Amino acid sequence: MTRRITILGSTGSIGVSTLSLFEESGAEIEIIALTAGRNVEKLAEQALRWRPRLAVIQDESHLPALRERLQGSGIETAGGTAAVTAAAQMDAEWVMSAIVGAAGLAPTLAAARRGAVVALANKESLVCCGPSLLQIAREAGGVVIPVDSEHSAIFQVLQQPCLDKVSRLILTASGGPFRTWDQAAMRAASREQAVAHPNWSMGAKISIDSATMMNKGLEMIEASYLFAMEENQIDVLVHPQSIIHSMVEYADGSTLAQLGPPDMRAPIACAYAWPDRLAWPAPRLDLAAIGQLTFEDPDLERFPAIDIARQALRAGGRAPAAMNAANEVAVGAFLDRRIGFLDIADAVRGSLDRLNGGWDLKGEPGGDELEAAMMIDASARRVAAEVVDRLAAGRNGQG
Ligand code: NAD
Ligand code: MG
């Protein structure tokens, strides 16, 4: 049976992997909508190949270029932030949420609200609004299936009848490009060095998050919401080969792990076919060729982001959303070469310290969740922009 599909963020790393999986598996699909931020060339190319009903470019200044490229194709076009959310509201049964950052929250909520299967790569939307997003999906009769490789692993080895016998989730982490660097070298790290991830090829923002290990911090929060675990039930284990994608330890001391080559098409295939399995020519695991798997504890001094995220998760309420917004601003400033690599975590902590009630922002029960999350997102961004300006000025010797 043909399945109706929408991909939010189709031109990014996850979006491209999703279409590659559809190509390789020959899955019977009809694409309803493809959306992108600014990459009009790639969006037009994908649209001409996959023939969606609608192609949306969030940055409206590129809409004329999109129209021109798709002229005569019969594919509808639209531009702007509201059009991305409108695309998520169309009648696709399966929606890949692969926009980067809190910008993915509104369209992801829109898809969840109408009961679609939401394949969730956009971890920031869970961090900003996790409990509400999951509740909205549940109430609409839909489901959120994690695509983040760690959460896909846990999702696959979590035995539903004995959730109360889970003692620990063990999130594995590659350790990123700076796993073995000393602090002085990290301080001087360039944008190019930070985005060069050893095992995964990903978008710029998540690559920087992997280098600071804030990615693991966001993933702890994501795991806590998805699997209803407390902060102290979630551990991080550095595993440089990225073969074990995560593990669940049970009360009887048994630990279940999910393994595979580092290829995001594997968790995407899982989210596509769940609870079935998709047959496709997947890269296979050759453990003899790999030889050994190694493990170590994360260095919390060189990677303070892990503890910042733990603190936000323990604080609860709106603290994770504020932390996420501050991190997006700080990562943006590093990518723009305005602040140094170690300034990123300092800026996030500094922003939460300065934000009025930053660590103690309680959620208002009821009300519009999206609006509330966007309000704290906006105030945290304002404070973070000031903190970043100060760090940038200090770096230029003006501070
Ligand atoms: P990316 O930067 O490669 O792609 C992001 C996509 O979102 C692009 O299509 C871009 O055009 C679009 N976009 C950007 N800003 C937008 C905006 N304001 N409005 C609408 N669309 C916008 O990122 P990615 O690596 O594909 O990651 C996407 C999400 O998946 C992130 O949340 C990331 O944390 C998560 N994720 C990625 C990986 C990976 O391997 N890449 C793994 C796990 C989780
Ligand atoms: Mg991950």
Side-chain angles (χ1 to χ4, degrees), residues 123 148-151 206 215-216 219:
K123 63 189 86 190
D148 215 347
S149 55
E150 297 76 4
H151 307 76
I206 183 177
N215 185 48
K216 226 33 67 176
E219 289 184 356

Coordinates of all heavy atoms in Angstrom, one line a residue, residues 123 148-151 206 215-216 219, ligand 2:
K123 N 15.5 16.9 17.7 CA 15.5 16.7 19.1 C 15.2 18.0 19.9 O 14.7 17.9 21.0 CB 16.9 16.1 19.6 CG 18.1 17.0 19.3 CD 19.4 16.3 19.6 CE 19.9 15.5 18.4 NZ 21.0 14.6 18.7
D148 N 16.8 9.8 16.4 CA 18.1 10.0 16.9 C 18.6 8.6 17.2 O 17.9 7.7 17.8 CB 18.0 10.8 18.3 CG 19.2 11.7 18.5 OD1 20.2 11.5 17.8 OD2 19.1 12.6 19.4
S149 N 19.8 8.2 16.8 CA 20.3 6.8 16.8 C 20.2 6.2 18.2 O 19.9 5.1 18.4 CB 21.7 6.7 16.2 OG 22.6 7.6 16.9
E150 N 20.6 7.0 19.2 CA 20.6 6.5 20.6 C 19.2 6.1 21.1 O 19.0 5.1 21.7 CB 21.2 7.6 21.6 CG 22.6 8.0 21.3 CD 22.8 8.9 20.1 OE1 21.8 9.3 19.5 OE2 24.0 9.1 19.8
H151 N 18.3 7.0 20.7 CA 16.9 6.8 21.2 C 16.2 5.7 20.4 O 15.4 5.0 20.9 CB 16.1 8.2 21.2 CG 16.9 9.2 21.9 ND1 18.1 9.8 21.4 CD2 16.8 9.7 23.2 CE1 18.6 10.6 22.3 NE2 17.8 10.5 23.4
I206 N 24.4 20.4 14.7 CA 24.5 19.1 15.5 C 26.0 18.7 15.6 O 26.5 18.1 16.5 CB 23.6 18.0 15.1 CG1 23.8 16.8 16.0 CG2 23.8 17.6 13.6 CD1 22.8 15.6 15.7
N215 N 25.3 17.9 22.6 CA 24.4 16.9 21.9 C 24.0 15.8 22.8 O 22.8 15.4 22.9 CB 25.1 16.3 20.7 CG 24.2 15.4 19.8 OD1 23.1 15.8 19.6 ND2 24.6 14.2 19.5
K216 N 24.9 15.3 23.6 CA 24.6 14.3 24.6 C 23.7 14.8 25.7 O 22.8 14.2 26.2 CB 25.8 13.6 25.2 CG 25.9 12.1 25.2 CD 25.2 11.3 24.2 CE 25.8 11.5 22.8 NZ 25.2 10.6 21.8
E219 N 20.3 15.0 24.3 CA 19.8 13.6 24.2 C 19.4 13.0 25.6 O 18.5 12.2 25.6 CB 20.9 12.7 23.5 CG 21.0 13.1 22.1 CD 22.0 12.2 21.3 OE1 22.6 11.3 21.9 OE2 22.1 12.4 20.1
Ligands
MG2 MG 22.2 11.0 18.5

